[in-house]
Amino acid sequence: QVQVVESGGGSVQAGGSLRLSCTISGGFLRIDTMGWYRQAPGEQRELVAEMTRNARSNYANSVSGRFDISRISGDNEKATVFLQMNSLKPEDTGAYYCAVDYWTLQVQNVRAWGEGTQVSVSS
């Protein structure tokens, strides 16, 4: 059973930093893209940053230069993606969700979502 667990959210003042982490575990054949999305109250969920299996990264324009995504791909039992968030702004506030695309013996290219972790930035 594949599981996705996030950690690292919290409350900071503008200009501060937070680091989010997300681990997928449970036995899979392959991990493709790992990424982070966020959703502010009343808004749609949007992509923040993602990293492909080949370590190519993609950032939303609003976070480029401030956020950094990285990943550790271990064996077929666990993989972790991090989001280092610097120079945080109030508009970065929202629920942050980890998304992982994976393969197992039974399914191909399925996306698993974490439950979300809250980030609150005060001015």
Side-chain angles (χ1 to χ4, degrees):
Q1 182 74 18
V2 172
Q3 290 185 319
V4 176
V5 179
E6 302 143 329
S7 63
S11 298
V12 295
Q13 289 190 327
S17 298
L18 285 172
R19 189 186 196 213
L20 306 183
S21 64
C22 168
T23 297
I24 181 170
S25 60
F28 42 80
L29 292 179
R30 168 175 162 164
I31 299 293
D32 286 336
T33 299
M34 304 180 79
W36 292 92
Y37 289 71
R38 70 185 177 194
Q39 187 168 18
E43 301 290 333
Q44 290 188 332
R45 191 173 296 187
E46 63 176 359
L47 174 68
V48 176
E50 62 184 1
M51 180 172 279
T52 68
R53 178 180 175 82
N54 297 320
R56 293 180 63 182
S57 59
N58 178 41
Y59 296 90
N61 289 336
S62 60
V63 307
S64 183
R66 299 187 297 120
F67 290 12
D68 181 64
I69 189 170
S70 59
R71 60 187 280 176
I72 300 174
S73 297
D75 54 24
N76 60 354
E77 292 295 324
K78 183 183 292 186
T80 301
V81 61
F82 303 96
L83 185 67
Q84 178 66 43
M85 304 185 294
N86 300 321
S87 301
L88 282 160
K89 303 176 180 180
E91 51 263 43
D92 294 319
T93 294
Y96 282 67
Y97 297 90
C98 176
V100 181
D101 298 333
Y102 68 96
W103 298 43
T104 68
L105 284 173
Q106 292 79 31
V107 297
Q108 298 177 358
N109 198 25
V110 175
R111 171 157 291 186
W113 291 90
E115 294 186 352
T117 185
Q118 182 67 34
V119 171
S120 297
V121 185
S122 59
S123 57

